[in-house]
Amino acid sequence: MERNYKIPVHVSIIMDGNGRWAKERGRERFCGHAEGVESVRACTEEAVRKGVRYLSLFAFSEENWNRPRDEVSSLMELMVKAMVNELPTFLSNGIRFVVLGNRERLDGRLNSEIDECMRRTAACVNMTLVVFLSYSGRWDILQAAKRLALEAAADPSMVPKVKDMTIEDFSGYMSTAGIPDPDLIIRTSGELRISNYLLWQCAYSEMYFTDTLWPDFREGEFDAALAEYAKRDRRYGKVK
Ligand code: IPE
Ligand code: IPE
Ligand code: MG
């Protein structure tokens, strides 16, 4: 099939505004997170329909560990539940499921559900859904640098390779190795910042900000972001 270059290969979303969505309705923050799961489902299905190859979602940042304990544990519970519930949909839609982030900080049960879901969807080829959990851009760059330094320290024959290292080679040490950089990054809820998300990988991403709160961001909103992307002129520093 010929590729439509107006459709981004990789769409990434900073899903923000769940708390405000709940507050506007006089409900607990948790209700906003639960409703946000419906938006995840809607956008995932729409991304598959539109031929997006990678959809990635910022679900929980390293900084989010600093939220009240109750909120953190209810978010973790919600993730486990959502993963178990969505597995049949992933399989029937051919969606490969991947979690990236500092998984050492996640609890054992969540980690084993993640492993199970990743293992069972590993051969799916329609689309890859990446969920960033306990993730931060600086953590990613740091773990890449540490790994490289330790490899070079253990094997001095690597030194010339390190000297000649390219940007692409270093990308191979990031947690996102093998996943193309996002073409389009969407942030909901009106915040105009990157919040320590994909710092290395966002070098040439198109940014799309919307005031819509994440629980209200469904197919129509996703399509609007794709339509805006299709109008962008990506010059990569060149003159056109
Ligand atoms: C995004 O919604 C979900 C997470 C960061 C886990 P928020 O919980 O940040 O919602 P607001 O920003 O407080 O409205
Ligand atoms: C960013 O949202 C992280 C996620 C969407 C998972 P936050 O709501 O935590 O971001 P800040 O703190 O407002 O920048
Ligand atoms: Mg927020």
Side-chain angles (χ1 to χ4, degrees), residues 88-105:
T89 320
F90 293 157
L91 292 168
S92 61
N93 283 295
I95 298 170
R96 180 167 73 108
F97 179 79
V98 175
V99 168
L100 297 178
N102 186 359
R103 287 189 52 191
E104 285 171 15
R105 296 189 73 176

Side-chain angles (χ1 to χ4, degrees), residues 174-232:
M174 299 299 289
S175 69
T176 49
I179 298 172
D181 289 344
D183 299 292
L184 172 65
I185 295 180
I186 298 170
R187 182 167 191 155
T188 60
S189 89
E191 307 301 348
L192 306 177
R193 54 179 174 259
I194 198 87
S195 297
N196 203 1
Y197 189 36
L198 297 168
L199 299 180
W200 171 265
Q201 300 87 341
C202 78
Y204 258 105
S205 303
E206 294 296 326
M207 312 297 291
Y208 178 86
F209 296 103
T210 171
D211 287 340
T212 304
L213 303 174
W214 176 248
D216 291 327
F217 193 94
R218 301 285 162 95
E219 298 91 287
E221 297 277 340
F222 189 84
D223 289 346
L226 292 191
E228 165 67 25
Y229 173 83
K231 289 193 262 174
R232 301 274 177 96

